[in-house]
Amino acid sequence: MKLAVVGGGSTYTPELIDGFARLRDTLPISELVLIDPAADRLELVGGLARRIFAKQGHDGKIVTTSDVDAGVADADAVLLQLRVGGQAARNQDETWPLECGCVGQETTGAGGLAKALRTVPVVLDIAERVRRSNPDAWIIDFTNPVGIVTRSLLQAGHKAVGLCNVAIGFQRTFAKFLEVAPADVHLNHVGLNHLTWETGVRLGGPDGPDMLPKLLAGHGDAIADDLRLPREVLDRLGVVPSYYLRYFYAHDEVVRELKAKPSRAAEVAEMEKQLLEMYADPALDTKPELLAKRGGAYYSEAAVDLAASLLGGGGSPNQVVNTVNNGTLPFLSDDAVIEVQAAVGSGAPTPLPVPELDPLYAGLIAQVTAYEDLALEAALRGGRDRVFKALLSHPLIGQYEYADALTDKLIAHNREHLTWA
């Protein structure tokens, strides 16, 4: 089995490598190709990757290359974890929206739109290269904004599925609280990428008893602390929102916090510098502890599970993925991309049934989906008016003066990545 990772020079890649090594019986990889245009980073990450495989007794071959066509050739699956513009572009995404009093974040609001505009054309080009090499290959997208990027791939007819680590993080946390194995925890996870709620926590499977009331009663303070939301909010809602909902539920508070400290991109950039220095040590053959602070916890386990199922291996039958709606949420179009539990096998993931949603959640999902429609149109066709309409539709912006100013700022900061600007 051959897998390719586009963005393989990321400092986060050793986390993925560690998962591939530990879970090799679930996903038996014979060849792993790390693809990245940054040759210097790729050499350091590739060296550590080989040492991790050797340390854990994995006999798969690891290849590094900056040639996308050569790297994806005959791959059974291609994982996308790229960041167009690097941490420098992310830093801009997280700062210039604050000048208008709006959240600066890399996956939602104005910053998220900027990332989508930079990313979608690049991802579609890579996907076409994959299709020319092996039309049966699966594309697993971990590149943010996952919902918009995955929809662009599916709309273009690619065999694609989106992946996020929010759900598996909740699964592991809840399993620890309940003192059970993670596999015994089934989440009623519903929404869009980075806009989801856990409306139930089933023990043993989709039809098992709902443990969410018990979790909120016994561990509500800890859950609320992790989300940085008041415990009262969780109790009144009776669900567990993803931590990205804090941008919506406490927008002004978040803006004040972001203005008072360095951006997350600046923190990550410093962390990456330290990690690359560690990776250069030829004696290092395990992922360093610092990597846990980089973000993306449990991504490797989720990626292995998903790839194994898609490629006919021993992955879990039900997994949380980003895939087409197809009537699952009746208030959305069939081709919208949602993030829910789905039956995953060698064919396209099939969403499991979702109970009727409270209007409190359905309304926000519908509005953000409308924004994603407009964002994808702007990413595919360009133009100032399309960018403006996407920003105006976003619930974190919604005022024409803000949308107008943010449009100018977005274009000014991203002109080198926008062929139409």
Side-chain angles (χ1 to χ4, degrees):
M1 181 185 300
K2 177 180 177 179
L3 263 66
V5 179
V6 180
S10 167
T11 56
Y12 188 73
T13 297
E15 167 67 28
L16 192 61
I17 299 298
D18 179 75
F20 287 158
R22 289 186 292 102
L23 302 172
R24 55 187 175 275
D25 291 339
T26 302
L27 188 68
I29 300 171
S30 57
E31 182 178 355
L32 177 64
V33 183
L34 305 180
I35 307 166
D36 203 290
D40 53 342
R41 293 167 60 104
L42 188 60
E43 181 181 358
L44 295 177
V45 173
L48 175 57
R50 295 185 184 96
R51 296 193 297 273
I52 290 174
F53 263 31
K55 171 82 170 183
Q56 299 196 31
H58 195 303
D59 59 3
K61 179 173 67 171
I62 295 179
V63 178
T64 59
T65 181
S66 296
D67 186 331
V68 174
D69 291 317
V72 303
D74 301 320
D76 297 289
V78 177
L79 278 66
L80 304 181
Q81 57 171 36
L82 59 144
R83 182 183 296 280
V84 179
Q87 293 298 332
R90 176 181 178 176
N91 185 66
Q92 293 180 351
D93 295 343
E94 294 177 343
T95 52
W96 54 261
L98 295 173
E99 297 171 11
C100 294
C102 296
V103 160
Q105 213 278 331
E106 65 161 340
T107 64
T108 191
L113 177 60
K115 193 171 197 299
L117 297 182
R118 294 193 304 268
T119 304
V120 166
V122 174
V123 164
L124 289 178
D125 175 68
I126 293 168
E128 285 299 329
R129 295 164 185 255
V130 173
R131 179 153 53 190
R132 288 198 298 267
S133 170
N134 181 6
D136 293 325
W138 277 101
I139 297 176
I140 299 174
D141 178 59
F142 193 64
T143 297
N144 284 318
V146 168
I148 296 172
V149 173
T150 301
R151 185 167 181 179
S152 75
L153 290 165
L154 292 170
Q155 188 170 289
H158 298 289
K159 289 181 62 175
V161 59
L163 181 63
C164 181
N165 69 319
V166 168
I168 193 172
F170 275 132
Q171 182 196 46
R172 299 304 174 90
T173 297
F174 296 156
K176 180 180 178 181
F177 288 151
L178 295 170
E179 298 181 338
V180 299
D184 291 332
V185 174
H186 178 94
L187 301 176
N188 289 353
H189 179 102
V190 61
L192 310 176
N193 179 242
H194 290 184
L195 194 85
T196 52
W197 297 263
E198 310 307 324
T199 61
V201 180
R202 305 284 175 176
L203 194 59
D207 299 320
D210 185 7
M211 307 302 290
L212 182 55
K214 177 181 177 180
L215 284 165
L216 288 175
H219 303 280
D221 287 342
I223 295 170
D225 286 346
D226 283 346
L227 300 176
R228 300 188 63 199
L229 287 171
R231 165 73 183 271
E232 179 188 7
V233 172
L234 272 63
D235 290 338
R236 294 175 69 179
L237 296 179
V239 302
V240 178
S242 83
Y243 50 85
Y244 288 94
L245 263 299
R246 187 168 183 262
Y247 296 119
F248 296 81
Y249 292 164
H251 176 274
D252 293 352
E253 179 183 353
V254 171
V255 168
R256 288 192 295 270
E257 292 173 359
L258 293 176
K259 285 183 173 180
K261 64 179 184 179
S263 69
R264 172 62 177 167
E267 295 175 356
V268 172
E270 180 58 32
M271 201 178 303
E272 287 192 333
K273 180 181 178 181
Q274 297 177 50
L275 286 169
L276 289 171
E277 291 174 354
M278 293 178 181
Y279 297 171
D281 181 358
L284 183 68
D285 56 9
T286 59
K287 63 177 183 179
E289 292 183 8
L290 178 61
L291 189 55
K293 298 180 181 180
R294 171 68 175 78
Y298 307 119
Y299 164 45
S300 60
E301 283 88 345
V304 167
D305 203 17
L306 179 55
S309 293
L310 295 173
L311 299 176
S316 304
N318 298 328
Q319 299 174 42
V320 173
V321 297
N322 284 260
T323 191
V324 287
N325 179 42
N326 279 343
T328 306
L329 300 181
F331 53 89
L332 299 183
S333 63
D334 283 347
D335 65 348
V337 167
I338 59 176
E339 185 172 292
V340 292
Q341 286 277 3
V344 183
S346 57
T350 303
L352 301 183
V354 174
E356 183 177 357
L357 280 179
D358 187 301
L360 179 63
Y361 315 122
L364 187 53
I365 290 171
Q367 186 176 1
V368 175
T369 297
Y371 151 75
E372 290 189 348
D373 292 345
L374 294 168
L376 182 54
E377 183 74 2
L380 293 173
R381 301 179 63 189
R384 188 187 188 282
D385 285 348
R386 294 188 181 93
V387 173
F388 169 78
K389 289 177 181 178
L391 290 169
L392 185 63
S393 72
H394 200 291
L396 295 182
I397 300 167
Q399 298 183 55
Y400 74 87
E401 288 184 335
Y402 288 170
D404 208 35
L406 289 168
T407 298
D408 290 337
K409 291 178 183 295
L410 186 155
I411 293 172
H413 284 283
N414 291 275
R415 199 175 300 275
E416 66 180 294
H417 302 290
L418 306 176
T419 57
W420 51 266

